[in-house]
């Protein structure tokens, strides 16, 4: 087995294994993906995320989600989260966006969502942030008629603060 590259929302900096940010993966045209692997510098923090191709892919792969509602709600949610955590990298922003989108899809389809085992620890250590994010996510709950668990709020805190345990 050979690891060709790592794709994700943060770079684990594994020696000799190239990293491709999820932002770059979603914003690169499919015919240019092989070139993406050849690039040495994958991080461009000054670039803004173009969500159009991401929304197109979500519309095709997650039909349970009303795409226009998602387009209305998610920019507000991401902007508010950015404000309460004093900014996000593009990888964090896309990670939170995709996590919430997949969560909404699962909840709309009544799928079981795994529980994060360190939920209480994250909430206890980040009480103010927990309440702020819980309030921000009310728009998601109302817009999609879903209930977001404390475990998922803890996951958003993890992405925003780069907590990996």
């Amino acid at each position: 087995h050979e690891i060709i590259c790592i794709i994700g929302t943060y770079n684990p900096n594994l020696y000799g294994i190239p990293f491709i940010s999820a932002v770059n993966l979603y914003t690169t045209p499919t015919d240019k993906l092989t070139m993406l692997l050849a690039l040495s510098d994958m991080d461009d923090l000054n670039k803004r995320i173009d969500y159009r191709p991401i929304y197109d892919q979500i519309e095709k792969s997650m039909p349970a989600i009303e795409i226009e509602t998602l387009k209305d709600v998610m920019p507000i949610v991401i902007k508010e989260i950015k404000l309460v955590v004093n900014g996000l990298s593009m990888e964090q922003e896309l990670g939170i966006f995709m996590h919430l989108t997949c969560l909404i899809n699962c909840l709309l389809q009544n799928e079981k969502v795994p529980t994060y085992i360190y939920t209480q620890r994250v909430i206890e250590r980040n009480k103010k942030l927990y309440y702020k994010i819980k309030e921000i996510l009310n728009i998601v709950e109302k817009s999609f008629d879903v209930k977001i668990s404390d475990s998922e709020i803890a996951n958003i805190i993890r992405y925003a603060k780069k907590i990996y345990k």
Side-chain angles (χ1 to χ4, degrees), residues 54-148:
I54 299 170
Y55 284 125
D56 290 345
Q57 185 60 37
I58 290 166
E59 189 170 27
K60 292 174 191 166
S61 62
M62 300 181 197
I65 295 179
E66 172 51 51
I67 200 69
E68 292 306 318
T69 304
L70 192 71
K71 287 179 180 179
D72 290 341
V73 169
M74 290 306 287
I76 296 166
V77 169
I78 296 297
K79 179 181 175 188
E80 291 297 318
I81 291 173
K82 274 182 170 180
L83 288 173
V84 300
V85 299
N86 298 316
L88 297 169
S89 70
M90 286 178 29
E91 286 75 19
Q92 288 171 298
E93 179 179 332
L94 185 61
I96 291 170
F97 176 90
M98 291 307 299
H99 182 82
L100 282 172
T101 301
C102 291
L103 174 63
I104 292 165
N105 188 58
C106 287
L107 294 173
L108 288 173
Q109 296 186 74
N110 296 315
E111 293 178 12
K112 185 168 172 52
V113 179
T115 302
Y116 174 53
I117 62 171
Y118 297 110
T119 296
Q120 290 310 313
R121 180 191 307 178
V122 170
I123 291 171
E124 286 299 317
R125 292 179 179 175
N126 301 279
K127 282 187 180 181
K128 284 173 106 174
L129 185 55
Y130 163 78
Y131 287 112
K132 288 177 181 178
I133 290 179
K134 185 175 179 68
E135 185 178 328
I136 292 167
L137 294 178
N138 276 334
I139 188 174
V140 173
E141 291 180 326
K142 289 177 183 174
S143 298
F144 291 97
D145 194 26
V146 295
K147 177 70 176 132
I148 298 175

